[in-house]
């Protein structure tokens, strides 16, 4: 009987695939209600997939640290920022308003990942001897310090050894053109100059089904990101489902035992923290990189909070759960409220929403709920946080292990739930 | 049990010089104003089952903590196989063959019994990141995992935990947790094992089996230091016996010397 990891993987692939399909269908329906054309629908789904992939990546990285090793990193946003900004500075135009080093994108990405990972390593060291709570304090402190630094005028431009560079402070910083465009355009910075042969064919095909070229480009990027999610999964799956992962789990459960059983737990924690932070940096780069621009406001502590909610929803400790959590969070909880608003506004043909809560409440006295509903909907992004709080409370009370956390994902490179000898015997009896 | 890490030597014959792998010299540990361990010295002979007894709070578990590096002694020196291990980290001490079980069991609750047991073995190549990440090297890791799995099943058989292999350790009963503690350290191929009340709460049949196992292992050269409150077990199977009282060694001797000593009777055994 070959009923082990492969089976699990197959069923997991099915879970992930059906989540993607289900979410897509849902948004196709939403787009239909909104009366979007085909191009609009395709574009909507692209946005959902893109954000889902970004979340899935970061959640997977956090799962390695928190789900496996119990390392309470609440500075996720800070490590993402470190990666993005390093990349921006490395690739920036030396003659730009905010000068950079002018190096190629791959070097920028590698540099960003390394810096995020190195910062993770440095931060983990002083807290190794302390309880998990201290790591939390140090990481949130770090994330805020680095965000303030990125925001500070002092670092708008600065020079190291005579080389000019900068963060752009509150205005933010440019990121290099998304290289995906090179696939389609001869000059990505000036789209009018013409398309590549590949671009002509692909755009030509999609024109027939009324999909605009810009949507094709962004879909291409989303597909690349989905592949990267697969890569993240593979890396973390291999780390987690191994003797190394066993030690991580043991550290989470009881570090003293892991130590008493001969494992140098400090080294494991440092490694895992560095890898996790590096992956967070990479996810940040791939996320912000698509916008061509980033600023410090993107990396507020609430971002870390979102990642944690996504992980809790999916099931801390489960890699498949991490992906599901990321997708569900990004599509339903993060983007969902906006679409609910749009659908309701569209279906009930609400007029413009009132500008203040007063204007919204007064009509209630004359039994006109419309303005109040419209006002609430217009402010749905603020309500999102309330909504998230409720979801979190519900999950913690009713399903603390998350969607997939109930499963035994055994930390081993082989299936250790079976008994090898017994299998052979059973086999022989059949012969 | 399959291959053992202990030197498979018979207990020192009459003419061979006695060996003492563990030597504890004047170790002390204070917790605030309380002297939990106060100038304790003793040696444990290779292949022996040495008993460590004494009233509650005598300092037995603290002595174990000091020996295995869980806490560092304020004073004194601990030597294992001639090497000074004072102040070494628990993992370093465990990896040179000196392991211990915990009185208050420390099972890894959200891991299965099998995961608990598979965690323990030393030198697992799959604990190296490059070996688990690179496809080429993963073959070797899997092969070693298969070997360890086989050994783990044998160990679970020995401790009657085989039927619970896929159960979460947090769901085990008190006695089963004690067994898991022992099974886990046995997977480390140790040469010396400190057992802190390994049989408390274990049923009589299994208790006998554990004693038989310990005796068999000690004949094969494993060395045991055993903390136990069950005087039947101690008097019948441990020799020598060290008695601790108020953080100090009160007496060391053979079971008959201990059981007839008046100070020991007063302090611990109770006049009967
Ligand atoms: N971490 C600690 N902090 C403060 N006091 C401690 C600590 N550990 C142990 N003690 C104290 O040290 C003394 C010795 O405790 P220890 O656990 O070594 O006793 P024991 O001989 O193992 O007892 P028992 O037979 O009940 O297990 C006790 O008085 C205990 O309260
Ligand atoms: Mg004790």
């Amino acid at each position: 009987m070959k009923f082990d990891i492969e089976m699990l993987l197959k069923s997991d692939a099915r879970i992930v695939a059906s989540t993607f399909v289900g979410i897509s269908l849902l948004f196709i329906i939403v787009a239909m209600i909104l009366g979007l054309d085909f191009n609009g629908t395709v574009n909507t789904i692209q946005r959902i997939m893109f954000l889902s992939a970004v979340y899935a990546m970061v959640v997977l990285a956090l799962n390695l640290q928190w789900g496996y090793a119990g390392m309470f990193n609440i500075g996720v946003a800070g490590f993402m920022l470190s990666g993005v900004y390093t990349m921006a500075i490395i690739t920036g135009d030396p003659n730009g308003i905010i000068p950079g080093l002018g190096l190629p994108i791959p070097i920028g990405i590698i540099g960003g990942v390394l810096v995020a990972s190195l910062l993770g390593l440095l931060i983990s060291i002083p807290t190794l001897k302390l309880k998990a709570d201290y790591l939390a304090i140090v990481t949130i402190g770090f994330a805020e310090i680095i965000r303030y630094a990125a925001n500070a005028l002092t670092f708008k431009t600065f020079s190291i050894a005579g080389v000019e560079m900068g963060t752009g402070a509150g205005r933010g910083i440019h990121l290099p053109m998304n290289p995906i465009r090179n696939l389609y355009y001869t000059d990505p910075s000036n789209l009018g100059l013409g398309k590549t042969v590949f671009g002509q064919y692909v755009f030509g095909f999609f024109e027939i089904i009324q999909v605009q070229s810009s949507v094709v480009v962004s879909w291409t990027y989303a597909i690349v990101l989905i592949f990267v999610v697969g890569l993240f999964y593979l890396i973390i799956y291999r780390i987690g489902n191994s003797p190394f992962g066993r030690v991580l789990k043991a550290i989470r459960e009881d570090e003293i035992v892991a130590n008493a059983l001969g494992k140098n737990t400090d080294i494991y924690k440092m490694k895992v923290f560095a890898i996790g932070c590096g992956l967070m940096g990479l996810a940040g780069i791939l996320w912000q990189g698509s916008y061509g621009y980033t600023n410090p406001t993107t990396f507020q502590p609430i971002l870390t909070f979102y990642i944690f909610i996504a992980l809790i929803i999916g099931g801390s400790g489960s890699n498949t759960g991490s992906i599901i959590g990321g997708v569900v969070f990004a599509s339903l909880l993060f983007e969902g409220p906006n679409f609910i608003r749009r659908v309701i506004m569209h279906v009930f043909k609400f007029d413009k929403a009132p500008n203040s809560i007063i204007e919204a409440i007064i009509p209630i006295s004359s039994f006109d709920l419309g303005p109040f509903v419209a006002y609430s909907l217009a402010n749905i992004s603020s309500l999102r946080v309330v909504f998230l709080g409720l979801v979190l409370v519900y999950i913690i009370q009713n399903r603390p292990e998350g969607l997939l956390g109930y499963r035994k994902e055994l930390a081993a490179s082989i299936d250790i739930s079976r008994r090898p000898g017994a299998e052979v015997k059973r086999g022989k009896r059949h012969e | 049990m399959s291959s053992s890490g202990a030197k498979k030597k018979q207990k020192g014959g009459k003419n061979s010089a006695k060996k003492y792998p563990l030597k504890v010299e004047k170790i002390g540990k204070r917790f605030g104003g309380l002297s939990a361990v106060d100038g304790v010295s003793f040696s444990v002979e290779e292949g022996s089952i040495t008993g460590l007894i004494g009233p509650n709070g005598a300092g037995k578990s603290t002595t174990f903590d000091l020996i295995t590096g869980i806490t560092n002694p304020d004073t004194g020196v601990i030597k294992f196989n001639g090497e000074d291990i004072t102040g070494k980290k628990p993992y370093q001490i465990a990896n040179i063959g000196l392991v211990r079980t915990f009185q208050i069991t420390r099972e890894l609750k959200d891991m299965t019994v099998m995961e608990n047991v598979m965690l323990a073995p030393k030198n697992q190549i799959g604990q190296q990141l490059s070996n688990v990440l690179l496809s080429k090297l993963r073959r070797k890791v899997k092969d070693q995992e298969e070997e360890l799995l086989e050994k783990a099943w044998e160990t679970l058989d020995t401790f009657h935990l085989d039927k619970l292999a896929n159960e979460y350790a947090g769901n085990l009963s008190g006695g089963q947790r004690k067994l898991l503690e022992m099974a886990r350290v046995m997977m480390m191929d140790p040469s010396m094992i400190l057992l802190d009340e390994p049989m408390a709460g274990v049923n009589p049949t299994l208790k006998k089996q554990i004693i038989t196992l310990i005796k068999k292992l000690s004949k094969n050269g494993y060395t045991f230091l055993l903390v136990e409150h069950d005087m039947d077990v101690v008097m019948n199977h441990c020799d020598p016996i060290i008695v601790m009282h108020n953080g100090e060694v009160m007496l060391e001797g053979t079971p008959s010397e201990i059981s007839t000593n008046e100070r020991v009777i007063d302090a611990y055994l109770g006049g009967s």
Side-chain angles (χ1 to χ4, degrees):
Chain A
M1 266 235 302
K2 255 241 158 214
F3 157 107
D4 42 57
I5 299 166
E6 283 166 37
M7 280 281 281
L8 183 75
L9 271 184
K10 265 184 215 153
S11 72
D12 277 22
R14 221 174 303 153
I15 294 172
V16 173
S18 30
T19 309
F20 269 100
V21 171
I23 300 269
S24 305
L25 284 177
L26 186 72
F27 279 92
I28 288 174
I29 294 169
V30 168
M32 279 163 68
I33 296 173
L34 288 176
L36 298 183
D37 59 6
F38 187 63
N39 184 62
T41 309
V42 172
N43 194 29
T44 303
I45 300 200
Q46 184 277 331
R47 264 183 59 193
I48 301 294
M49 287 300 150
F50 168 74
L51 201 64
S52 296
V54 168
Y55 269 90
M57 280 187 261
V58 193
V59 175
L60 276 168
L62 182 62
N63 187 43
L64 178 64
Q65 296 179 334
W66 191 51
Y68 277 98
M71 298 184 83
F72 198 23
N73 175 6
I74 49 173
V76 178
F79 295 105
M80 294 172 78
L81 183 151
S82 313
V84 176
Y85 269 78
T86 306
M87 140 90 159
I89 291 172
I90 289 178
T91 55
D93 179 359
N95 304 315
I97 313 165
I98 306 299
L101 304 181
L103 295 169
I105 294 176
I107 295 181
I109 295 178
I110 294 170
V113 172
L114 284 182
V115 165
S117 155
L118 210 66
L119 286 170
L121 185 69
L122 287 178
I123 280 166
S124 72
I125 291 172
T127 56
L128 285 173
K129 298 276 167 286
L130 305 170
K131 287 210 187 78
D133 329 11
Y134 291 93
L135 180 65
I137 295 168
V138 174
T139 47
I140 183 79
F142 157 77
E144 280 300 89
I145 289 169
I146 199 138
R147 185 170 68 85
Y148 274 97
N151 207 14
L153 271 177
T154 327
F155 300 117
K156 188 169 182 182
T157 54
F158 56 94
S159 67
I160 296 176
V163 183
E164 284 289 315
M165 54 189 105
T167 61
R171 288 255 181 97
I173 190 167
H174 277 283
L175 293 166
M177 197 72 70
N178 191 337
I180 291 294
R181 288 186 176 192
N182 288 319
L183 266 180
Y184 295 106
Y185 296 103
T186 44
D187 182 358
S189 54
N190 189 347
L191 305 188
L193 280 184
K195 301 165 198 142
T196 60
V197 180
F198 180 71
Q200 278 167 11
Y201 276 106
V202 177
F203 287 159
F205 172 75
F206 280 99
E207 243 164 63
I208 302 172
I209 53 170
Q210 312 261 308
V211 176
Q212 290 165 8
S213 50
S214 64
V215 176
V216 173
V217 174
S218 45
W219 251 111
T220 314
Y221 192 60
I223 289 168
V224 170
L225 288 206
I226 290 172
F227 270 104
V228 180
V229 172
L231 198 69
F232 270 53
Y233 181 89
L234 187 71
I235 292 173
I236 293 169
Y237 176 86
R238 285 187 170 181
I239 294 177
N241 292 52
S242 76
F244 188 92
R246 236 160 22 226
V247 180
L248 298 186
K249 266 184 160 181
I251 290 173
R252 178 190 72 196
E253 300 286 301
D254 187 338
E255 192 174 342
I256 291 181
V257 168
N259 219 298
L261 291 174
K263 317 303 175 206
N264 186 356
T265 50
D266 287 355
I267 298 287
Y268 286 86
K269 284 161 76 180
M270 282 159 61
K271 283 184 183 169
V272 134
F273 211 66
I275 293 173
C277 292
L279 293 177
M280 286 168 187
L282 179 56
I285 291 170
L286 296 174
W287 174 38
Q288 293 296 299
S290 75
Y291 300 134
Y293 160 84
T294 193
N295 67 6
T297 327
T298 313
F299 302 97
Q300 282 175 345
I302 191 139
L303 176 61
T304 305
F305 177 67
Y306 288 159
I307 306 291
F308 265 94
I309 296 180
L311 180 52
I312 290 167
I313 291 173
S316 174
S318 162
N319 289 323
T320 309
S322 300
I323 297 183
I324 304 292
V327 174
V328 167
F329 177 87
S331 57
L332 300 185
L333 298 180
F334 192 84
E335 288 285 4
N338 278 330
F339 281 94
I340 292 175
R341 174 180 57 94
R342 283 173 60 185
V343 166
I344 294 179
M345 298 288 249
H346 183 80
V347 171
F348 294 96
K349 308 216 162 28
F350 279 127
D351 314 328
K352 266 178 61 190
N355 287 321
S356 75
I357 183 98
I358 313 278
E359 286 172 50
I361 287 176
I362 290 173
I364 296 182
S365 57
S366 50
F367 301 102
D368 182 6
L369 278 172
F372 179 71
V373 174
Y375 178 79
S376 311
L377 289 172
N379 290 287
I380 204 156
S381 52
S382 328
L383 284 177
R384 180 193 286 147
V385 182
V386 177
F387 182 48
L388 284 178
L390 291 176
V391 170
L392 204 56
V393 170
Y394 177 83
I395 287 185
I396 301 273
Q397 290 202 334
N398 296 290
R399 207 181 167 86
E401 70 282 11
L403 290 174
L404 289 182
Y406 63 94
R407 297 190 319 179
K408 288 179 189 166
E409 290 186 11
L410 297 180
S413 298
I414 56 169
D415 177 13
I416 59 168
S417 65
R418 91 217 127 90
R419 179 152 203 172
E423 237 168 49
V424 174
K425 265 182 224 146
R426 216 185 297 146
K428 271 182 188 157
R429 222 176 287 152
H430 278 290
E431 273 167 27
Chain B
M1 194 134 312
S2 64
S3 70
S4 72
K7 288 149 232 148
K8 289 235 169 81
K9 224 183 283 169
Q10 294 304 309
K11 221 169 175 177
K14 271 179 193 126
N15 18 8
S16 67
K18 285 181 177 176
K19 273 194 188 162
Y20 294 90
L22 180 69
K23 286 188 179 139
V24 171
E25 292 159 17
K26 293 201 180 108
I27 56 167
K29 179 75 190 177
R30 298 183 70 87
F31 292 113
L34 177 98
S35 222
V37 174
D38 192 2
V40 163
S41 302
F42 59 82
S43 299
V44 178
E45 192 193 339
E46 187 173 327
S48 72
I49 306 173
T50 301
L52 181 61
I53 63 171
N56 295 126
K60 307 179 294 292
S61 297
T62 308
T63 302
F64 273 21
D65 286 349
L66 296 177
I67 294 171
T68 54
I70 303 287
T71 40
N72 288 329
D74 302 330
T75 56
V77 177
I78 302 156
K79 283 183 179 157
F80 183 63
N81 289 334
E83 186 186 343
D84 185 349
I85 57 165
T86 329
K88 284 233 160 96
K89 301 266 163 46
Y91 77 90
Q92 294 170 312
I93 295 169
N95 282 331
I96 54 172
L98 176 55
V99 300
R100 58 90 55 88
T101 64
F102 292 92
Q103 176 180 3
I104 299 165
T105 55
R106 302 187 82 136
E107 63 288 340
L108 304 162
K109 293 192 176 59
D110 272 343
M111 295 170 74
T112 65
V113 168
M114 184 53 92
E115 280 182 299
N116 266 268
V117 173
M118 291 278 286
L119 169 71
K122 294 188 278 198
N123 305 325
Q124 297 189 43
I125 48 179
Q127 287 173 353
Q128 205 62 45
L129 263 182
S130 50
N131 292 341
V132 300
L133 282 175
L134 303 175
S135 299
K136 268 189 193 162
L137 303 174
R138 277 162 55 81
R139 190 67 254 159
K140 281 195 300 182
V141 174
K142 288 186 177 179
D143 289 347
Q144 194 194 39
E145 289 267 272
E146 292 288 355
E147 279 168 37
L148 293 178
L149 182 63
E150 209 162 297
K151 194 178 160 199
W153 276 110
E154 285 169 22
T155 309
L156 290 183
D157 284 342
T158 309
F159 290 94
H160 294 238
L161 290 169
D162 48 317
K163 296 216 166 48
L164 295 164
N166 292 318
E167 195 58 64
Y168 281 117
N171 295 343
L172 299 187
S173 74
Q176 290 164 341
R177 289 171 199 211
K178 288 278 180 192
L179 298 172
L180 178 58
E181 284 270 331
M182 282 187 75
R184 224 164 41 181
V185 293
M186 290 316 299
M187 288 292 288
M188 289 204 68
D189 275 345
S191 59
M192 175 162 183
I193 304 158
L194 313 184
L195 298 170
D196 201 344
E197 302 190 26
M199 285 165 264
V202 173
N203 72 61
T205 327
L206 207 46
K207 204 177 211 175
K208 272 190 204 131
Q209 287 174 356
I210 293 179
I211 294 166
T212 315
L213 176 73
I214 293 177
K215 297 197 83 156
K216 192 177 118 200
L217 291 169
S218 89
K219 284 213 182 69
N220 285 336
Y222 285 91
T223 308
F224 288 93
L225 181 60
L226 175 68
V227 170
E228 186 53 60
H229 285 299
D230 182 336
M231 280 309 114
D232 283 343
V233 173
V234 175
M235 292 302 169
N236 291 322
H237 305 289
C238 296
D239 189 12
I241 298 167
I242 301 163
V243 186
M244 280 187 76
H245 184 45
N246 287 337
E248 294 174 23
V249 172
M250 184 189 236
L251 185 69
E252 181 177 339
T254 63
S256 57
E257 283 165 0
I258 299 292
S259 57
T260 54
N261 183 286
E262 259 173 45
R263 280 165 62 220
V264 177
I265 293 172
D266 281 348
Y268 183 49
L269 298 177
S272 59

